[in-house]
Amino acid sequence: MATSVECSSTQLIDGDGSFNVTGIEQLIKEVKLNECGLSYAVVSIMGPQSSGKSTLLNHLFHTNFREMDAFKGRSQTTKGIWMAKCNGIEPCTVVMDLEGTDGRERGEDDTAFEKQSALFALAVSDIVLINMWCHDIGREQAANKPLLKTVFQVMMRLFSPRKTTLMFVIRDKTRTPLENLEPVLREDIQKIWDSVPKPEAHKETPLSEFFHVEVVALSSYEEKEELFKEQVSNLRQRFFHSIAPGGLAGDRRGVVPASGFSFSAQEIWKVIKENKDLDLPAHKVMVATVRCEEIANEKYSSFTECESWCQLEEASRSDLVSGFGKKLNSLLHTSLTKYDSEATFFDEGVRSLKRKQLEEKLLQLAQPAHQAILGHLRSGTLEKFKEAFEKALNGGEKFSVAARNCTESYMALFDEGYQDAFVELANWDSSKVREKLRRDIDAHVASVQAAKLAELTSSYEVRVKEALYGPVESLFDGANNETWLSIRNLLRCETESAVRGLSSGLSGFDLDENARGKTITTLEDYAKGVIETKAREEAGRVVVRMKDRFSNLFAYDADSMPRVWTGKEDIRFITKTARVECLKLLSVMAAIRLDDTADNIEKILFTALLDPSSSAAAIKSNKAGDPLASSTWDQIPPAKTMITPVQCKTLWRQFMTETEYSVTQAISAQEANRRSNNWLPPPWAIVALLILGFNEFMTVLRNPLYLGLIFVGYLVIKAAWVQLDIPGQFRYGILAGLLSISTKLIPTIMNILRKLSEPAPVATTGANNPPRHLTAATKALENGSTRSSTASSGNKTEYSGHNKEQ
């Protein structure tokens, strides 16, 4: 398979029918046929072997096809089909030199290749030159008759012929004028046309519908070479602008664009080789489909490899790109314009379909970048909105006004940014992104509003808690019949004050009446919850409070002075009074009474706990159970119950047990006080002592020494009495006092005697100085008296303190 690059020619199909794909692609590339669009022409020549076809083409189109060497004899020169560019012809014209017919090399029976090549020439050529001898015109058995029959027969296999120009070139013209030869030739052509079998659809179709017939005559090249060249030169002029209206191929149909010529020729030859009917319209669509798809793929690949697109795509991933829409639109428009330029001559339906597919692929490729830009635009707008919104709120602007103004401003900013990112060629819907931004803005406004409302509500809750906690605790500390009324008044006053402040704060928010009312109700419920929480907390310490109250009422008098149990106090009355007050405290703490509803808790408690006899009688008469043997109070819902009746009974029993010791100690102290204030024996004992001790009394009177001894003994006993603090020793009982005195008696007496025996200090003798022994005795008595006074005072203080502790 020879190829001549220098002369821009190649063997298109070899003698065995193999198509030279590489050769035609190289030829098309060299002659730049792909750039011609529809502005190109294809010429082919067929005729008997050794009829001078190659010679004619070489002179007519300045090609270099191989010519027969006359000195070597007449034989086959061209094998298969050769193709070359016609030099100097405008527009671009390529010519095919077909293997000659009726050659002895193939024999009489091997006409398959002749028919295949003829059909191929008719399918791809705009102008077909039929080379014939002049002396064959008018002869029935001339060489041109089989050729014409072949042409017309294979033409019938083309469902929609291309209106090919048949130019009959009469070679070696004789003296007979062309005007006389042409009618005879046309008549022969018509007879052959009429004799060829036709499909039913074309039985009445004239020859002119399929072919444009031209007849030219040329002199003998060997005998009249100069004249031959002149005639060929004149004929050459007719091939300039041959496809223009009025030209040789001016009315051609079904032209394949130049960029699809190679593929079209390959497919046509493939169909012909398979001996199938050649549907040129369908083939044209097929070629257009393949070529348009190839062009679309090329443009898609070019777009993906375009540096501008790669930079734009890379930039869109990280940040917002200014002018993104215009840049992307320009790149898309450039790619589609290039496609339109290359595919403009293909079938319009196929071209439009492939363009649409290319556009969809390009848009599908570019859409993620566009979505990324919209994502950056949405997130950037949202961040700017948050900053502006926060700044507006910090500047003191009302919440609803700031939210409305910022939302409008930044939604408009998003719309402006979207216009910058808008791609005209795409029909992308940005409403979802815009709706997403609006939802994000609304969600942020809602979250900030919720936070602000929570902050505002929390601040008033703190105020309410501070305003209620301390006073409620104080009211429960001094609980009485008016406690819950005071708590309700306090709750109403503080709640109204907090609600006024909260309502003023809520005026800056765009809340409906339902939301506003719900917020206020929440604050009111919180205030009630504060009281309930505090009440339940205090209810958990009710026994401690009852004990404190009992201790205050029992151990201190009305002037808050500690009681001294001298024996004159009515302990029973004091105890009952203190217990009554403690029971009132228990009844107050038994239930939450924020609603002004009367109940009988106090009455039940007093009846059941303070007056058990009457309670037992009432139970017996009414044949009812214990009023405290229940887990609920009448008229009090369980949710408002802090201490159930059963718990009240248990707590009261615990309270009574823990306060009983104080009462017992008070009674003991009172009895001890009575005993300490009554040291004289009974009157009968005094009378008996006078009667029985009369003799001893008279003895003492008769002997003064006994009187002195008795006096000294009295002083010693008095000093020992004071130092031992005899009344104080018996304060905790007789046995304890005797044990304490027995351990201290001897040391105390020895100490007194030692001080009496100590020598007096040396002093000047005088009338005013008492005797030495009298001074020592007097000091001992003074010390004893002083100690007695001090001990007595200390004893009283300690006793009072002990009573207070009790």
Side-chain angles (χ1 to χ4, degrees):
M1 194 177 293
T3 302
S4 178
V5 178
E6 296 178 358
C7 301
S8 299
S9 64
T10 186
Q11 186 178 25
L12 184 63
I13 301 172
D14 63 14
D16 297 328
S18 299
F19 196 95
N20 185 8
V21 179
T22 305
I24 190 173
E25 293 291 346
Q26 187 172 355
L27 177 65
I28 289 174
K29 184 177 180 181
E30 289 177 0
V31 301
K32 300 180 180 179
L33 184 63
N34 284 334
E35 301 175 4
C36 296
L38 295 179
S39 183
Y40 76 102
V42 180
V43 180
S44 61
I45 188 169
M46 63 178 66
Q49 181 177 300
S50 302
S51 61
K53 299 187 298 300
S54 300
T55 303
L56 174 61
L57 294 180
N58 289 340
H59 285 83
L60 183 61
F61 298 116
H62 299 169
T63 55
N64 61 349
F65 292 119
R66 182 183 175 191
E67 300 178 10
M68 183 189 70
D69 188 351
F71 295 101
K72 292 182 179 181
R74 306 181 69 83
S75 62
Q76 187 180 53
T77 305
T78 303
K79 293 182 180 181
I81 302 175
W82 285 73
M83 175 178 281
K85 180 180 183 297
C86 300
N87 293 321
I89 301 296
E90 293 294 335
C92 180
T93 302
V94 293
V95 61
M96 295 189 302
D97 186 8
L98 274 64
E99 179 181 315
T101 62
D102 196 23
R104 66 180 177 84
E105 285 79 5
R106 290 190 181 271
E108 292 183 3
D109 299 327
D110 191 7
T111 60
F113 186 80
E114 292 180 6
K115 292 181 180 180
Q116 291 172 354
S117 60
L119 181 57
F120 179 75
L122 288 174
V124 301
S125 301
D126 301 307
I127 303 170
V128 178
L129 301 178
I130 301 178
N131 205 38
M132 61 185 304
W133 300 111
C134 180
H135 53 75
D136 284 341
I137 298 176
R139 293 169 58 185
E140 187 65 26
Q141 301 300 324
N144 66 327
K145 289 292 183 72
L147 178 61
L148 288 176
K149 285 183 180 181
T150 299
V151 171
F152 292 155
Q153 285 173 358
V154 298
M155 180 276 304
M156 288 303 163
R157 294 176 60 187
L158 304 178
F159 294 157
S160 180
R162 305 176 60 243
K163 192 64 180 290
T164 306
T165 297
L166 296 179
M167 177 175 281
F168 291 87
V169 181
I170 302 173
R171 302 295 298 275
D172 295 349
K173 178 181 172 296
T174 61
R175 293 181 179 181
T176 304
L178 178 62
E179 291 80 6
N180 295 333
L181 295 174
E182 184 174 351
V184 177
L185 179 59
R186 288 183 181 274
E187 183 179 351
D188 290 343
I189 294 171
Q190 187 64 47
K191 287 180 181 180
I192 296 171
W193 173 257
D194 294 337
S195 65
V196 171
K198 304 179 186 65
E200 190 65 30
H202 295 296
K203 284 187 176 298
E204 303 299 329
T205 304
L207 176 65
S208 58
E209 185 68 22
F210 290 85
F211 298 105
H212 174 66
V213 179
E214 291 282 342
V215 180
V216 296
L218 298 177
S219 298
S220 173
Y221 174 67
E222 294 180 354
E223 297 177 0
K224 301 177 181 180
E225 183 178 352
E226 294 300 326
L227 179 59
F228 173 82
K229 291 181 179 180
E230 181 182 350
Q231 291 172 345
V232 169
S233 178
N234 293 333
L235 179 60
R236 175 183 170 84
Q237 300 302 316
R238 298 187 64 183
F239 286 90
F240 281 89
H241 307 292
S242 59
I243 61 175
L248 286 176
D251 55 351
R252 63 179 180 170
R253 297 193 296 263
V255 183
V256 176
S259 62
F261 177 78
S262 174
F263 176 76
S264 175
Q266 295 175 47
E267 291 298 316
I268 289 174
W269 182 249
K270 180 180 178 182
V271 172
I272 292 173
K273 285 286 288 182
E274 294 173 355
N275 200 26
K276 297 179 181 179
D277 289 339
L278 184 60
D279 187 352
L280 287 183
H283 173 75
K284 180 183 177 183
V285 172
M286 183 268 294
V287 172
T289 301
V290 173
R291 274 300 298 152
C292 289
E293 189 165 348
E294 289 179 353
I295 296 171
N297 290 337
E298 290 174 4
K299 300 313 165 191
Y300 181 80
S301 299
S302 299
F303 183 87
T304 57
E305 296 171 1
C306 177
E307 183 178 356
S308 299
W309 160 246
C310 294
Q311 293 176 352
L312 187 63
E313 184 183 27
E314 185 66 26
S316 67
R317 293 175 183 170
S318 58
D319 199 2
L320 192 65
V321 179
S322 178
F324 175 85
K326 292 182 179 179
K327 293 177 182 178
L328 179 57
N329 201 70
S330 175
L331 292 174
L332 293 173
H333 184 267
T334 300
S335 183
L336 293 174
T337 301
K338 289 181 179 179
Y339 169 85
D340 292 336
S341 176
E342 294 187 26
T344 184
F345 301 112
F346 289 101
D347 182 79
E348 182 179 357
V350 176
R351 183 179 73 243
S352 300
L353 177 62
K354 296 301 178 182
R355 187 187 194 279
K356 184 178 180 181
Q357 292 176 355
L358 173 61
E359 184 176 338
E360 289 176 353
K361 287 179 65 178
L362 291 175
L363 292 177
Q364 187 176 5
L365 176 66
Q367 189 171 19
H370 184 258
Q371 290 296 325
I373 290 295
L374 292 185
H376 296 319
L377 177 61
R378 182 190 62 80
S379 59
T381 304
L382 182 61
E383 291 302 320
K384 292 179 181 178
F385 168 83
K386 291 179 179 179
E387 294 175 2
F389 187 46
E390 183 178 1
K391 185 176 181 181
L393 293 179
N394 293 337
E397 193 170 350
K398 286 187 175 182
F399 187 91
S400 58
V401 176
R404 183 172 57 254
N405 292 342
C406 290
T407 301
E408 292 175 355
S409 299
Y410 285 91
M411 288 305 296
L413 181 64
F414 174 83
D415 294 337
E416 182 181 341
Y418 177 74
Q419 290 300 320
D420 184 64
F422 177 71
V423 181
E424 295 180 2
L425 292 175
N427 190 25
W428 291 327
D429 184 14
S430 68
S431 59
K432 292 184 178 179
V433 181
R434 193 179 193 279
E435 290 172 1
K436 179 68 168 58
L437 173 62
R438 185 56 187 260
R439 289 196 301 270
D440 291 343
I441 289 178
D442 292 343
H444 179 70
V445 170
S447 65
V448 173
Q449 177 172 291
K452 293 292 183 181
L453 287 176
E455 182 181 348
L456 180 64
T457 305
S458 178
S459 65
Y460 279 97
E461 287 177 351
V462 171
R463 296 182 188 179
V464 167
K465 186 174 182 179
E466 292 176 351
L468 293 177
Y469 226 67
V472 168
E473 183 176 2
S474 178
L475 288 172
F476 280 131
D477 190 36
N480 54 44
N481 294 334
E482 302 297 323
T483 297
W484 281 107
L485 176 61
S486 301
I487 290 176
R488 288 195 294 271
N489 292 335
L490 175 66
L491 173 63
R492 183 176 62 256
C493 179
E494 296 298 335
T495 302
E496 289 176 355
S497 175
V499 166
R500 283 194 300 271
L502 180 61
S503 299
S504 177
L506 293 177
S507 62
F509 295 89
D510 190 12
L511 298 177
D512 55 22
E513 290 301 322
N514 186 28
R516 183 186 298 271
K518 186 176 180 181
T519 305
I520 293 175
T521 302
T522 301
L523 179 62
E524 293 173 346
D525 292 341
Y526 177 81
K528 293 179 180 180
V530 169
I531 291 180
E532 292 183 4
T533 301
K534 186 61 180 175
R536 294 185 185 278
E537 179 184 332
E538 295 297 323
R541 301 189 298 124
V542 65
V543 174
V544 176
R545 286 198 173 277
M546 290 168 64
K547 288 168 60 179
D548 291 342
R549 174 170 289 194
F550 180 84
S551 177
N552 290 334
L553 294 176
F554 186 76
Y556 294 88
D557 57 18
D559 297 328
S560 299
M561 296 297 294
R563 293 185 188 275
V564 178
W565 303 108
T566 62
K568 300 178 182 179
E569 295 84 3
D570 187 352
I571 294 181
R572 181 181 298 276
F573 176 78
I574 294 173
T575 302
K576 185 174 183 179
T577 302
R579 287 176 177 173
V580 167
E581 292 300 322
C582 292
L583 194 59
K584 286 183 179 180
L585 173 61
L586 181 61
S587 67
V588 169
M589 302 302 298
I592 298 173
R593 300 176 179 87
L594 293 179
D595 298 327
D596 190 8
T597 303
D599 60 71
N600 56 355
I601 294 177
E602 183 176 350
K603 181 179 179 182
I604 293 173
L605 290 178
F606 272 72
T607 303
L609 299 179
L610 280 185
D611 194 2
S613 58
S614 62
S615 175
I619 293 173
K620 185 175 181 180
S621 61
N622 295 332
K623 296 182 180 181
D626 186 355
L628 297 183
S630 174
S631 59
T632 58
W633 298 103
D634 292 340
Q635 302 175 348
I636 300 295
K640 300 296 182 181
T641 300
M642 294 190 292
I643 305 175
T644 63
V646 173
Q647 291 173 338
C648 286
K649 190 173 184 179
T650 302
L651 294 174
W652 184 255
R653 188 181 296 115
Q654 178 184 352
F655 164 75
M656 292 290 289
T657 301
E658 294 180 1
T659 58
E660 184 177 0
Y661 179 75
S662 298
V663 177
T664 303
Q665 287 294 95
I667 295 174
S668 298
Q670 199 174 54
E671 290 297 327
N673 193 284
R674 287 197 186 103
R675 287 195 299 270
S676 64
N677 292 331
N678 189 14
W679 293 99
L680 294 176
W684 61 270
I686 297 174
V687 173
L689 182 62
L690 291 176
I691 294 174
L692 297 176
F694 181 76
N695 294 330
E696 287 78 3
F697 179 72
M698 293 305 296
T699 301
V700 170
L701 290 179
R702 291 190 187 101
N703 191 354
L705 180 60
Y706 288 139
L707 185 61
L709 292 174
I710 291 172
F711 179 71
V712 172
Y714 168 76
L715 292 179
V716 172
I717 293 171
K718 179 65 175 177
W721 181 280
V722 172
Q723 288 192 11
L724 290 174
D725 187 17
I726 300 300
Q729 299 299 329
F730 287 97
R731 181 171 52 194
Y732 300 105
I734 297 174
L735 181 60
L738 292 175
L739 292 175
S740 178
I741 291 172
S742 65
T743 58
K744 299 178 181 179
L745 179 62
I746 300 301
T748 302
I749 293 175
M750 294 299 293
N751 186 37
I752 293 172
L753 293 176
R754 186 177 63 253
K755 289 183 178 180
L756 289 174
S757 63
E758 287 179 357
V762 178
T764 305
T765 305
N768 295 330
N769 292 331
R772 184 176 179 181
H773 65 278
L774 291 178
T775 304
T778 303
K779 286 184 177 180
L781 290 175
E782 288 177 354
N783 290 336
S785 178
T786 303
R787 288 190 188 95
S788 177
S789 176
T790 304
S792 178
S793 176
N795 185 25
K796 290 181 181 180
T797 304
E798 182 180 355
Y799 182 66
S800 299
H802 179 69
N803 285 339
K804 184 176 181 180
E805 288 175 0
Q806 290 179 335

